[in-house]
Structure formats: structure tokens, C-alpha cells
Amino acid sequence: MAGEARTERRGPRAARLPATITAWLRREADAARRSAHRALQAPGPERDAAAQALKAALAAFLAWAVTAWWWEAPMALMAPWAAVVLVQSTVYRSLHSAGLQLAVVATGTLLAAGAAALTGSIVAALLIALPPATLIGRYARLGEQAAYAPTTVLFVLAYGSYSAAEIGHRLLETLVGAVIGIAVNALVLPPVHARELRHVLGALPDRAADLLDAMSGTVREGYGPVDAGGWYDRALALRRLVGRLEQARRWADESVRLNPGHRLRRPGRAGSGGSVEQDARWSAVAEQGVRITAVLAEAAEDRPGFAPLPAQVRLPLADFLRGTAELARLASPDAGLGLAEHRVRAARAERLAGGAQRQMFRVLAQQYEAATPAVGELVAATQRLLRALTEGGAPCLPHQHTPGRSTPGPAGPVVRQEDCP
């Protein structure tokens, strides 16, 4: 009876299995179709992946043509194998991986040849050579290339190709494939990954300005725990966006490193855009945004020791948030303002935010004994936020503009993102 019950329970699951597989295949096919459509419609990760795949195929074809057809090498397979592997996502990574791959392949080849010469038996050589090769394959500093140590041992011993001449051919053909793979990656549509960096640099000013604007209007009229909790979540999202900025900066900088073609392919855009100092200032903006929203959330809680902010603090804080929102918005590469208008608006916003911050400081100084801890924390955080946005910060304030680097617009020169130091 128990066996029959188990069979009955398995029956419906077995019947549902083909439908589940079919649904999964349909979803994967739809996803692949959407990716292909995006690759054809506009630049993006899908088109980049397709270009790299075509380049890898081209590198393999050229390596095979050189070693198998023209040279008639006895181990021509090694060349296209190395060429495909070394069409990496950046030129620098191709060069770095080439050195590691050659070292790993040479080590695996010598281990296999030495073990075979010592034992005279392929089985015994496998038992001797594979343990150290497998340890090398798990060495983290070698990255993905480490896996080729044990596979090289297997190839060498399985084909019995461990004479001195065969070892020389194997290493030479691997070197030829590596050179061809690097050359194809560097000279045919060399990859430059600046799209994500430009996207994040464009999104940060707008996200920060929207958050500060939303806070300004509600703080002036009075806010509650729900408002403060929403602001805190948005501030955390802004900090995560800054984390994406740091990752995108590293990726973009690596993609232009040792890349001979990025200036030819993208005139006027030297890969990354902006600067590391600018990234640090946006990091400070996001961090102070988290602190300010956390203080406002604590002040809104109906608990002992968490008194609401008094009106003499809320009103200047609202003005401060409105001024800093304008400063953040002026840092957007899509602001499109004339230089004169940009200077006027930046100076006005800096005066509004600076005056409001000084007013909060006066409230703290005059009512130090009665002021809540939230007021002191707000004064410190707002001071740091204003410094991040004005002292060589994200917006190009009037004294920060670099003469001769603006472009003409309808209302005169237009301040560009790269004008920021």
C-alpha cells in the first residue's frame, strides 16, 4: 500500500514535468529573442556581447588559418583555443590573461611531461601530475586561467604528446593563438565600457535633487514617520547608486587601459568621464543624505528622547534642502544651461543653502541647553553636504568653470559635465 501511495504521488509530478520544461524553454526563448532585438535596436550590453562573440570567432578562424593551413603545425588546435579564450572584455584583461595562460599551460605541460618521463606510464603520470595541477587550478590569484593547468595535463597525457619537440610546438602554438586573440581584441572594435559610467553620472544629480526637493516641501509643512522612512529608503538607494558608480569607474578605467583604439572610436570621450574626486564628492553627498534622513526619521518617532524638530529648525532646513536640490540639479550633464544662467542660479542656490545652514547653527548656539541631539546632528550633516556640493564639488560653480572648454548654446556657452574638475 505504501508503495502504491508513493507511485500515486509521483504520478502527478511526472505528468507536470514536460509542461514545466516546456514553460521554462519558452521563457528562455523569449528572453533570447528580446536580447537579440535589443542588440539590433540600440547599443547596450547585448550588442557588446554579440560583438565580442563575433570577434572570438574571427580570432579562432585566423589562428586556425595560420597554424593549420599555412604553417601545418602538428598541434594547430592550441592556437584557436588560446585565441578564443583571450578575446576578453577589455584589452588590458586580454594581455593580463595571456601572461597567466601561457604560464599555466607551460606549467601543466612540464608537469605532465616530467611525470611521463619519470614513470613511463600514462596512468602513473596522471596520478603524479594531476594533484599539483589541480591545486594550481584552484589558486585564486590566477583567476579563470588557473583551470587550464589540470586540463593541459590531461590533454598532454591523453594524446601522448610529451616529447621535447611536441612540448615546444604546444607552447609555440599557444603563443601564436594568444597574440592573434589580443590583436583582434585590440584592433577590431576595441571594447570601451563607459556607457554605465555615463548613465550613473547622469542619474546621480537627478536622484539627489528629487530626494532633496521632496524633503524640502514636506519638512516645511511638517512630516511624519512614514515620510521620513520613505526618504531614508531613497537615501539608501542613492548610496547604492554611488556604489555602482565606483564599480563603473573601475570598469571604464580598465577598458581604456592599454587600449589603442578608444580615442579613434569615441572622439571627445576618453572612456570614463568625470574624475575620481567627483565620485568621492557624490559619495559624500549620498552619505550625508543618509545621515540627514536618519536624523529626521528618529525625530519623527513617538518615543522618549526623540522630540520633534522645532519650527525654528524646520523652516531653515526646508530652505537648505531647496538650495542644495538646485545645486545637485545643476550638476546634471543634461542641465543644458547657458554659462551666465548657470552661474546666476548656482550662486543663488549656494546663498540660500548657506544662509539656511548658518541660521540652523545660530539656533543651536542660542538654544544649546534646550536643543535636542537631532539639531546638532543636522547642523553637522548639512554643513558637510553643502561643502560636498560647493567646494570643488559636483556642480560647476562660477569660479570653477574652465575657460575655453564650454560649447556654444542658444543662450551662450553651455556648461558641460567635463568642465567640472
Side-chain angles (χ1 to χ4, degrees), residues 321-345:
L321 294 170
R322 183 157 58 90
T324 51
E326 176 72 358
L327 289 172
R329 187 164 284 112
L330 289 172
S332 173
D334 300 323
L337 299 176
L339 180 59
E341 183 182 359
H342 188 279
R343 286 179 170 177
V344 170
R345 288 178 58 175

Side-chain angles (χ1 to χ4, degrees), residues 27-384:
R27 287 195 301 271
E28 293 300 316
D30 290 341
R33 186 168 55 252
R34 288 193 298 269
S35 296
H37 179 73
R38 287 193 293 267
L40 293 173
Q41 290 298 314
E46 294 83 4
R47 183 175 291 184
D48 293 342
Q52 290 300 101
L54 293 174
K55 286 165 59 176
L58 174 62
F61 169 77
L62 293 176
W64 182 261
V66 169
T67 56
W69 296 346
W70 177 61
W71 187 11
E72 296 184 354
M75 296 183 184
L77 177 64
M78 299 301 299
W81 173 64
V84 167
V85 170
L86 293 178
V87 178
Q88 297 275 335
S89 50
T90 66
V91 175
Y92 170 77
R93 193 160 295 192
S94 290
L95 289 164
H96 182 259
S97 298
L100 293 178
Q101 188 190 68
L102 290 172
V104 168
V105 169
T107 302
T109 301
L110 294 176
L111 278 174
L118 181 65
T119 62
S121 167
I122 292 178
V123 175
L126 282 172
L127 292 174
I128 293 175
L130 272 180
T134 304
L135 288 175
I136 294 172
R138 296 184 179 183
Y139 188 46
R141 290 184 180 274
L142 295 176
E144 298 175 355
Q145 307 304 318
Y148 296 117
T151 57
T152 299
V153 169
L154 290 173
F155 282 138
V156 170
L157 294 177
Y159 287 100
S161 53
Y162 42 79
S163 67
E166 288 168 331
I167 291 174
H169 271 290
R170 181 180 294 274
L171 297 179
L172 181 58
E173 287 148 30
T174 302
L175 177 61
V176 170
V179 170
I180 291 175
I182 293 170
V184 168
N185 201 32
L187 301 177
V188 180
L189 297 177
V192 176
H193 303 285
R195 190 182 301 110
E196 173 71 4
L197 179 59
R198 291 195 295 268
H199 169 73
V200 176
L201 281 174
L204 270 172
D206 294 334
R207 299 272 184 92
D210 290 344
L211 172 59
L212 294 169
D213 260 338
M215 294 168 61
S216 173
T218 312
V219 164
R220 183 180 299 277
E221 302 298 328
Y223 70 96
V226 175
D227 299 316
W231 298 335
Y232 183 69
D233 290 340
R234 291 174 65 178
L236 290 178
L238 186 67
R239 186 162 67 180
R240 289 193 295 270
L241 188 62
V242 171
R244 283 178 54 192
L245 172 65
E246 295 169 356
Q247 183 178 3
R249 170 76 62 191
R250 289 193 297 269
W251 191 237
D253 288 347
E254 181 184 313
S255 71
V256 299
R257 194 175 177 184
L258 303 177
N259 190 330
H262 74 276
R263 294 185 184 276
L264 296 176
R265 288 185 61 201
R266 293 165 175 82
R269 286 184 177 178
S272 34
S275 65
V276 177
E277 291 76 14
Q278 184 183 1
D279 298 351
R281 290 190 288 268
W282 279 119
S283 179
V285 169
E287 191 61 37
Q288 300 312 314
V290 170
R291 291 186 180 182
I292 291 172
T293 54
V295 171
L296 293 177
E298 289 179 352
E301 293 180 359
D302 187 14
R303 289 192 301 168
F306 293 93
L309 292 177
Q312 59 264 41
V313 174
R314 284 192 293 105
L315 297 181
L317 177 60
D319 290 337
F320 173 85
L321 294 170
R322 183 157 58 90
T324 51
E326 176 72 358
L327 289 172
R329 187 164 284 112
L330 289 172
S332 173
D334 300 323
L337 299 176
L339 180 59
E341 183 182 359
H342 188 279
R343 286 179 170 177
V344 170
R345 288 178 58 175
R348 187 189 304 129
E350 187 177 359
R351 284 197 301 270
L352 175 63
Q357 206 279 332
R358 287 189 293 272
Q359 187 175 348
M360 285 188 288
F361 183 79
R362 284 196 294 270
V363 171
L364 177 64
Q366 293 168 3
Q367 304 178 9
Y368 182 77
E369 297 294 336
T372 63
V375 177
E377 293 181 32
L378 277 177
V379 169
T382 53
Q383 185 178 27
R384 296 189 190 102

